[in-house]
Amino acid sequence: MKPEDLNIILKDESLSDESKKKLISLHESISSREFSDLLDEQGHQYVEFVQEGGGVWGSALVGYLYGLEIFGIRFLKVAGTSAGAINTMLIAACKTKQEAKSDVIKDVLFNWDFADFMDGKAYVKTTLHAMLNNKNFFTINAILAAVFIIILIILPFAIPSGTVLNAKLMFLIPLVPAIILFFCIKKLYHNFRKENSGLNPGNVFLHTMKSALDGFGVKTVANLNEKFIRKEYDLNLNYRYGNRREYYTLILQNIEKIKIKNLEHIDETRYKIFYDSVLNNDYYKNNPFYKLRSEYVVVTTDINAKIKVELPTMANLFWSEEELKHISPAEFVRASMSVPFFFEPFQKSINKDDSSVRYAWKFWMNTEKEDINPVGIFIDGGSISNFPIDLFHADEVFYPRLPLFAVQLTSDTDILSEKGKTAGEILKTPFSYAGNIISTLQGFNDKTFLTKHSFYRLYSIQTVNCGTSSWLNFFMKKEEKEDLFNRGFQAALNFLNQFDWEKYKYERMMLSMKEKKVLKEEDTPTVG
């Protein structure tokens, strides 16, 4: 980072004093680091970027993005769920891949009034506002309910009754709240059925997201694919060490280095197969950009097919090729952020007569035309994969050309709940037991992947602590958005300051060799 660039950034009013102090103290250290071996003509370094979902915590993701971009980080691949899907879509849609995008995205999110997205009945917004902005909401209402019930119980004894019939009627008074509660639940149930099992239709969000994308000239999925998706030489990137056979040569050299350093753990037979596969790989020998591709991925869940859905990769399961030429990619984001019961699930009818749809169902699901589902019903992708870091993991990696950066979101409450508990704490009540089961199953796909590939926890993932804020606080004020933005920004600086690109490449190759059984697994228990 040049001194003049630093001075401009320090004038940014959205950065807190703490953020500016951290930037001043770390900018020289970070500016001298290498983060990738893929660069463009301006010297920007390219990475893959995965963002976790987290409701209105999306402002923290933008702050993290800002922290990366000011040090010349740009994005070849981006992916996310829910809030991460919003940020992913905006990264893909605005400007060119060489330009910084966080300023534009920050303006978009800061100008959105999240409360507008609660477009259901008026009582929903009123109740949620009271719940989210009054910490004692449940306590106060529980006390009022208890006092009310006690009064009703006492009334039959306190009020004199002239006849036996009156006395009996008086003792029916305590049933009044039960009757009221019954009709309230019945009304809520019918509202849910009428509104497709969601408090909010989500139409305002869809329209708002669509308008934002329209402003970037992205009106259709076809527009966005044409703008963002490129591959190999069309990416117009350079390999740090040269665009001829340098990458191929470095692969061979580094494989040999790993063998020498880990000789006692090498399976010689498998090593020879692995080395020969690289040695005879004419694609990498003649093209250092082989298999490189820019892409964006939004993750959602189809509860009809009961699968994790990656869009636009799997879009033809639900949208025909012709439809993708006309619908906005905002629909992908709307599908990804459909928090169950809070928003209505997003629905898409499926035209099984379309050839592109039939091919997709055969390809992805091995399903014939007559068994294709009539409709896709999408809920929040976080129900299965809130942190889709597995999307960009490539088993065939010989020697990394770019790293995978990933950001997770947490809070003070989450940090406390993640600490190990005793059996007594988990099994204390049926509710605590059920809660631990649900938290275990939620995002199980991501947890399983990270358990197997602990490499990413060590070298790719940074966590942003969003403090005491709630991920469902749609009434968040600008000051709260700015606080989240700064938390994300500072987390990005911390990550960049400790990132070691050479060590990343070495350990990523170790992971690849372990997956191919070149490294004896029983000898290398700590290899990610």
Side-chain angles (χ1 to χ4, degrees), residues 206-310:
L206 179 59
H207 175 75
T208 304
M209 189 74 204
K210 184 177 181 298
S211 296
L213 297 180
D214 286 350
F216 302 136
V218 175
K219 295 184 179 296
T220 70
V221 174
N223 288 159
L224 184 57
N225 291 350
E226 184 179 355
K227 177 178 184 177
F228 193 79
I229 298 177
R230 297 283 187 278
K231 64 180 181 179
E232 300 187 5
Y233 285 109
D234 288 339
L235 290 166
N236 293 319
L237 297 178
N238 297 303
Y239 184 62
R240 182 182 294 277
Y241 302 103
N243 292 346
R244 296 184 183 276
R245 296 182 59 167
E246 291 84 357
Y247 175 64
Y248 173 77
T249 303
L250 283 170
I251 292 177
L252 299 178
Q253 291 175 352
N254 281 279
I255 292 175
E256 287 285 9
K257 286 180 183 178
I258 287 180
K259 180 186 178 183
I260 294 170
K261 191 170 182 178
N262 300 275
L263 192 59
E264 62 182 305
H265 302 301
I266 295 289
D267 183 312
E268 288 290 347
T269 303
R270 293 183 184 274
Y271 174 81
K272 187 176 186 310
I273 295 171
F274 176 62
Y275 186 82
D276 287 347
S277 69
V278 182
L279 185 66
N280 298 316
N281 193 313
D282 290 334
Y283 295 108
Y284 285 109
K285 185 185 297 184
N286 300 316
N287 178 7
F289 309 106
Y290 176 61
K291 284 194 173 181
L292 279 180
R293 170 186 170 93
S294 58
E295 61 181 311
Y296 67 96
V297 184
V298 167
V299 173
T300 183
T301 302
D302 177 15
I303 59 173
N304 196 8
K306 300 175 179 61
I307 57 171
K308 168 185 171 183
V309 179
E310 301 163 17

Side-chain angles (χ1 to χ4, degrees), residues 391-406:
L391 292 178
F392 300 146
H393 175 72
D395 293 333
E396 72 274 8
V397 166
F398 295 126
Y399 186 59
R401 291 165 287 187
L402 76 169
L404 171 59
F405 286 2

